[in-house]
Amino acid sequence: MTDARPPQRPAGTERADAEPAMPVSVRVATGLLGVLAVLLLLSAALTWFGREGVVDRFLLAQPDLTREEVTRFVVSGLLRDLVVGLVGTAAAVWLTRRRAWARWAGVAVAAFLGLLTLMSAVGAGGTSVFSLLLVVLCVGAVTSLLARTTAAWAPMRPRGRG
C-alpha cells in the first residue's frame, strides 16, 4: 500500500510558485540596521530631553565656548542622530521588501556611523566598550549588506525586465 500524500518539503525550502526565502545575510543586515537605528533614535530622544544638562556639562569641559555655540552643537548632533536613525529604520524595513535603494541606504548609514565613531575615538584619544560595540555592529551591517546573497535578494532591476 502506498501513501497518497505528497512528499513533505523540508522547512525553509522554496517552491517554484512561492517567494524565495529571505537569505540569512538579509536577516542579519535588517536586524543590525534595526539595532543601530534604535540606538540612534534613543540617543536623540535622551539628548533632547536632557539637552540642558548636556550643554552644562559640555560648558564645564569647554569654558571658552558660549552657551549658544554649545547648544547649536548639541542640537545639530541630535538632528544628525535623528535623521540617520530614521534612514536606518527605513532601510531595514524596505530591505525586507527587496528594494535595492534600501540596501545602499543601509550601507551608507552603517559606514557613516562606523567611520564617525572611529574618528571620534581617535580624536578623543581612546575608546569605550560602547564605541567598540557600535563599530562591530556597523562592520557586521555593511558586510551583510554587501554580501552576494543580499545583492541577489535586492537586485538593482527587477528580474524578467530588460
Side-chain angles (χ1 to χ4, degrees), residues 18-162:
E19 185 81 14
M22 186 184 298
V24 172
S25 63
V26 175
R27 282 187 249 146
V28 169
T30 302
L32 291 175
L33 282 174
V35 168
L36 291 171
V38 165
L39 289 173
L40 285 167
L41 294 173
L42 183 62
S43 173
L46 291 174
T47 302
W48 176 256
F49 290 114
R51 67 186 176 280
E52 290 303 319
V54 173
V55 169
D56 291 341
R57 284 189 299 277
F58 201 104
L59 283 171
L60 286 174
Q62 298 288 332
D64 54 326
L65 298 175
T66 67
R67 185 168 199 80
E68 293 77 29
E69 290 172 324
V70 173
T71 301
R72 204 171 315 121
F73 176 76
V74 168
V75 171
S76 67
L78 177 150
L79 290 174
R80 180 199 62 227
D81 287 352
L82 181 65
V83 168
V84 174
L86 290 174
V87 171
T89 301
V93 169
W94 287 96
L95 181 62
T96 62
R97 297 177 183 167
R98 305 181 79 165
R99 301 298 193 267
W101 66 263
R103 177 176 168 240
W104 293 110
V107 168
V109 163
F112 171 76
L113 187 59
L115 290 172
L116 183 67
T117 304
L118 280 175
M119 290 182 349
S120 296
V122 168
T127 187
S128 67
V129 173
F130 181 74
S131 296
L132 289 175
L133 175 63
L134 203 56
V135 170
V136 168
L137 291 174
C138 290
V139 168
V142 169
T143 303
S144 295
L145 288 163
L146 295 179
R148 285 185 181 145
T149 51
T150 306
W153 171 260
M156 289 304 287
R157 281 183 262 171
R159 293 180 190 173
R161 294 186 182 177

